[in-house]
Amino acid sequence: MNARITQESGTPDSGKQDAGQNDAIVQFQRTGFRYGPENEALREINLDLQRGGFYFLTGPSGAGKSTLLKLMYLALRPTRGKVRLFGTDIGTAPREALPHLRRKIGVVFQDFRLLPHLTVAENVALPFRVKDESSENYQDDVAELLHWVGLGSRLHALPNTLSGGEQQRVAIARAVVCKPSLLIADEPTGNVDPAMGAKLMRLFVELHRYGTTVVIATHDLELVRRSGAPVIRIEAGQVVGEMA
């Protein structure tokens, strides 16, 4: 199924997308992916995600959502078809070109992936450190963001002293602190209470208003319904429906 999704009024920051233009930041063209000869995780994916859009990705467990996200954040390359990120075909791009693309992407992993030997503040500052920025340029931003997500008193704590919900908030802060061009979040509100979940969603919406393309994978259909944002549904490795 072809899915070229645009947004209408009432969705997060309506008016960012124009259905008459193809300004896709992510493009899947007849894309497939296999984990070995017998396990076809994705097949015939045709999908354009427009620059500055806000999207939800839904579907049952095992449907292929995680594989689709991994292709978006360059953890995998397609085994068939094409995936273009920021206009670059990642299937044919040289390996040395990928770090530059990755630095434009913020990822909230479902398993957090915090570095255990770094403090909370040091984990959140990693995107700046990768770019060799001076700590004087970012330490206030890191502290302010951690205060905003309710972790102002845990800046110097190590990840193994945090609850699952606290680790998730650190992972979200790390993903958004540099205002990436593309934010990919896998179940970002799954380990927090509803009030904090709503606050984190406001953070994603605010980031989107600054121009970030946001893709959120979730099983929380009530969250999706309240947002009014476009929804991509995937089942058995294929896009089976989309709502704009």
Side-chain angles (χ1 to χ4, degrees):
M1 175 178 291
N2 293 327
R4 185 171 182 276
I5 301 175
T6 59
Q7 286 177 259
E8 299 173 356
S9 60
T11 64
D13 201 7
S14 61
K16 272 194 176 293
Q17 300 176 141
D18 182 346
Q21 298 178 359
N22 187 8
D23 188 22
I25 198 169
V26 179
Q27 292 179 291
F28 289 81
Q29 298 174 335
R30 303 195 68 182
T31 305
F33 186 84
R34 287 181 178 271
Y35 294 100
E38 301 299 325
N39 186 358
E40 188 175 37
L42 295 174
R43 59 184 186 277
E44 290 294 318
I45 302 292
N46 293 291
L47 185 65
D48 284 6
L49 302 184
Q50 301 300 301
R51 189 178 305 275
F54 194 112
Y55 305 94
F56 283 102
L57 177 64
T58 69
S61 298
K65 298 188 303 296
S66 292
T67 300
L68 194 71
L69 295 181
K70 287 177 180 178
L71 288 167
M72 289 187 197
Y73 63 75
L74 299 169
L76 299 173
R77 298 203 199 199
T79 54
R80 182 160 49 85
K82 292 184 178 182
V83 177
R84 294 183 183 274
L85 290 176
F86 309 103
T88 298
D89 184 341
I90 68 168
T92 59
R95 186 173 296 274
E96 58 268 22
L98 300 185
H100 172 70
L101 295 176
R102 287 192 179 105
R103 284 194 286 271
K104 297 181 179 183
I105 304 170
V107 185
V108 182
F109 297 102
Q110 197 169 6
D111 56 357
F112 316 135
R113 301 194 192 180
L114 304 178
L115 297 186
H117 62 286
L118 298 183
T119 67
V120 165
E122 288 169 339
N123 266 283
V124 174
L126 273 175
F128 293 110
R129 296 172 67 179
V130 166
K131 294 190 285 188
D132 292 324
E133 291 197 27
S134 169
S135 61
E136 295 178 354
N137 295 333
Y138 61 73
Q139 58 187 2
D140 289 346
D141 290 340
V142 168
E144 181 181 357
L145 182 56
L146 284 169
H147 277 281
W148 197 88
V149 298
L151 295 173
S153 64
R154 309 304 304 272
L155 271 67
H156 304 295
L158 293 174
N160 64 2
T161 68
L162 304 179
S163 69
E166 289 172 328
Q167 291 185 53
Q168 187 158 43
R169 281 179 272 162
V170 176
I172 290 170
R174 180 183 59 191
V176 307
V177 71
C178 278
K179 297 182 177 67
S181 298
L182 173 63
L183 176 68
I184 298 166
D186 193 358
E187 296 286 350
T189 61
N191 289 291
V192 297
D193 61 60
M196 179 54 67
K199 189 172 186 178
L200 293 173
M201 281 302 303
R202 291 198 298 272
L203 176 62
F204 297 144
V205 171
E206 187 65 21
L207 192 66
H208 166 247
R209 287 176 178 157
Y210 279 97
T212 295
T213 302
V214 178
V215 182
I216 298 176
T218 184
H219 288 100
D220 187 345
L221 298 184
E222 178 60 23
L223 175 69
V224 173
R225 185 193 64 78
R226 289 197 308 268
S227 77
V231 180
I232 305 159
R233 181 167 178 81
I234 187 168
E235 293 182 7
Q238 290 186 297
V239 174
V240 297
E242 60 290 327
M243 300 184 301

